[in-house]
Amino acid sequence: MTIRTIIVDDEKLAIQGLMLRLEKFPDVDVIETCANGREAIRRIKTEKPDLVFLDIQMPGFDGFSVVKGLMDVEPPLIVFVTAYQEHAVRAFQANAVNYLMKPVNEDELADTMERVRTRLSEKGAAGEAEMLKAVLTEVAPDAIEAMPDDIEHANRYEKLINIKDRGQIFRVDVDSIERIEAAGDYMCIYTADNSLILRETMKDLERRLDPRVFQRVHRSWIVNLNQVRQVKPHTNGECFLVLESGADVKVSRSYRDVVARFVH
């Protein structure tokens, strides 16, 4: 039996390290890697993997948000990868959900894979969903209570934005946007491989984007929280967010509450 596997983690080194360790298990086929929770939900629903290694602490859509987003489908077997404190780990144990502590230990990974094989051989969709709900109830009760509204909330916002720039029309996947800079009555939209001009005000654009993912951090900047890889303190209560591209974006003091969500 081949175990079709997806790895979800916002740290590239963590993904690479886990993939390297999983090479020792010939029955494991890593079919996808995801850098954020929103992408993970889409890929899991599309690819229907047997197993997901899911990081809990990610900006924007964290691991618990991913679990919530999968409650309307048959969930895969999930192995939480976590740096959570002891009481949360006990909750995972009590509800029979697999977990690994960071940094991942090779012996613990081998033991986990044995449990995964056993669970997959006797897995029932209803039972798996109930165990995941039990984890949310124990560890993140606010998340389970907000589940239906949360999914509806995410569906209210744009998934694609049409941008006319330099005589061409570009269809931009919103999740690919790293940062947005205000420049008068138009916006500079930055993705990993492009920068485009959108004739629209910051205020109007904000209404079209999910505020749990796209946050104003300065009067001139909006950032995709899923693209943040480092927070660097600066003077006078300000700081810089380092994004996946390596770009720095200053967070002004009036928006420092945004930074609080990255501090665990």
Side-chain angles (χ1 to χ4, degrees), residues 178-179 223-224 227-229 241-249:
E178 181 186 72
R179 65 196 192 278
V223 299
N224 181 340
Q227 298 273 355
V228 176
R229 73 182 186 194
L241 300 180
V242 182
L243 307 180
E244 286 295 335
S245 66
D248 289 345
V249 175

Side-chain angles (χ1 to χ4, degrees), residues 29-257:
D29 179 16
V30 178
I31 58 173
E32 291 279 357
T33 64
C34 303
N36 63 72
R38 292 174 66 89
E39 178 187 3
I41 292 171
R42 289 201 309 272
R43 294 298 187 187
I44 291 169
K45 288 184 175 182
T46 300
E47 299 295 338
K48 297 180 174 57
D50 303 303
L51 173 64
V52 175
F53 287 94
L54 178 60
D55 185 25
I56 291 178
Q57 293 170 288
M58 297 182 291
F61 267 43
D62 63 10
F64 295 133
S65 298
V66 173
V67 172
K68 286 185 295 177
L70 296 175
M71 284 299 158
D72 60 338
V73 298
E74 179 181 347
L77 184 60
I78 290 180
V79 174
F80 289 103
V81 183
T82 176
Y84 258 47
Q85 50 197 306
E86 186 179 352
H87 77 272
V89 172
R90 286 202 301 268
F92 298 146
Q93 290 174 315
N95 290 289
V97 173
N98 294 288
Y99 73 93
L100 287 169
M101 295 294 294
K102 287 184 175 182
V104 174
N105 176 278
E106 291 188 6
D107 291 337
E108 291 175 356
L109 179 59
D111 291 341
T112 296
M113 290 308 304
E114 283 300 314
R115 294 199 299 273
V116 164
R117 294 184 189 98
T118 300
R119 287 278 296 280
L120 286 174
S121 67
E122 58 191 27
K123 177 168 119 61
E128 195 66 33
E130 287 306 311
M131 281 187 282
L132 289 172
K133 287 181 182 178
V135 169
L136 290 185
T137 301
E138 182 74 24
V139 183
D142 292 342
I144 193 69
E145 289 173 7
M147 187 182 302
D149 294 339
D150 223 35
I151 295 171
E152 182 181 348
H153 175 95
N155 290 333
R156 287 205 303 263
Y157 296 98
E158 301 276 2
K159 301 295 190 297
L160 288 169
I161 292 180
N162 294 328
I163 301 176
K164 185 175 182 180
D165 186 7
R166 299 184 291 273
Q168 301 180 61
I169 296 177
F170 298 84
R171 290 177 58 78
V172 178
D173 185 334
V174 166
D175 288 341
S176 72
I177 297 174
E178 181 186 72
R179 65 196 192 278
I180 302 166
E181 182 182 11
D185 290 335
Y186 61 90
M187 303 287 103
C188 295
I189 310 293
Y190 296 91
T191 65
D193 54 8
N194 207 354
S195 61
L196 300 167
I197 302 298
L198 176 64
R199 306 288 174 178
E200 189 169 345
T201 65
M202 180 80 86
K203 185 176 180 180
D204 288 339
L205 184 57
E206 277 188 292
R207 294 196 190 101
R208 301 169 61 190
L209 300 174
D210 188 341
R212 296 172 306 173
V213 178
F214 290 90
Q215 281 283 316
R216 181 86 72 97
V217 297
H218 188 278
R219 66 180 183 178
S220 300
W221 287 102
I222 293 174
V223 299
N224 181 340
L225 299 183
N226 291 329
Q227 298 273 355
V228 176
R229 73 182 186 194
Q230 184 182 357
V231 179
K232 295 195 303 185
H234 192 48
T235 58
N236 302 321
E238 298 178 333
C239 68
F240 285 96
L241 300 180
V242 182
L243 307 180
E244 286 295 335
S245 66
D248 289 345
V249 175
K250 181 186 282 189
V251 180
S252 62
R253 282 180 294 171
S254 56
Y255 293 99
R256 58 188 174 188
D257 61 306

